[in-house]
Amino acid sequence: KINYSLTHLTFLMAVTLSVLIFGAQDTTASALSRVICLLSRRENQALQARIRKEILPLRDVLEGDNLRYEDVENLPLLDAILKETLRL
């Protein structure tokens, strides 16, 4: 039987949480890199224009603030692209 001290258990929990958090960040970064790469292709220029047309009016309303999840939900094309990217 192994007798773990509270300090040891706290350390193990911190390491486990760090792995989960950094792993999630890496996955998100990979997904966003993929969508940017796919959208940058020449055959997707029409899609880029449609996304830009959808986003630009919101940018003026936000006046420099970041997009929130609720904002993205109100952008159906961008929302669909992000969901499809995460599905892949």
Side-chain angles (χ1 to χ4, degrees):
K1 179 179 178 182
I2 300 174
N3 187 9
Y4 290 108
S5 68
L6 184 58
T7 304
H8 186 76
L9 290 175
T10 304
F11 173 76
L12 286 175
M13 192 165 50
V15 168
T16 303
L17 285 173
S18 296
V19 168
L20 290 173
I21 290 170
F22 291 123
Q25 286 177 341
D26 186 47
T27 303
T28 303
S30 295
L32 291 174
S33 295
R34 179 162 172 78
V35 75
I36 290 169
C37 178
L38 291 173
L39 286 173
S40 68
R41 291 184 174 179
R42 183 180 303 270
E43 63 266 18
N44 291 325
Q45 286 181 347
L47 184 57
Q48 289 177 36
R50 287 177 53 204
I51 294 170
R52 200 173 293 117
K53 186 177 178 182
E54 186 177 77
I55 293 174
L56 285 179
L58 184 62
R59 182 188 67 175
D60 297 335
V61 171
L62 292 174
E63 297 177 359
D65 289 340
N66 292 326
L67 283 175
R68 299 174 314 225
Y69 181 73
E70 295 81 21
D71 299 324
V72 174
E73 284 182 320
N74 293 325
L75 303 171
L77 182 59
L78 181 61
D79 187 41
I81 289 171
L82 292 174
K83 286 180 180 176
E84 181 64 17
T85 301
L86 293 175
R87 186 188 70 79
L88 296 174

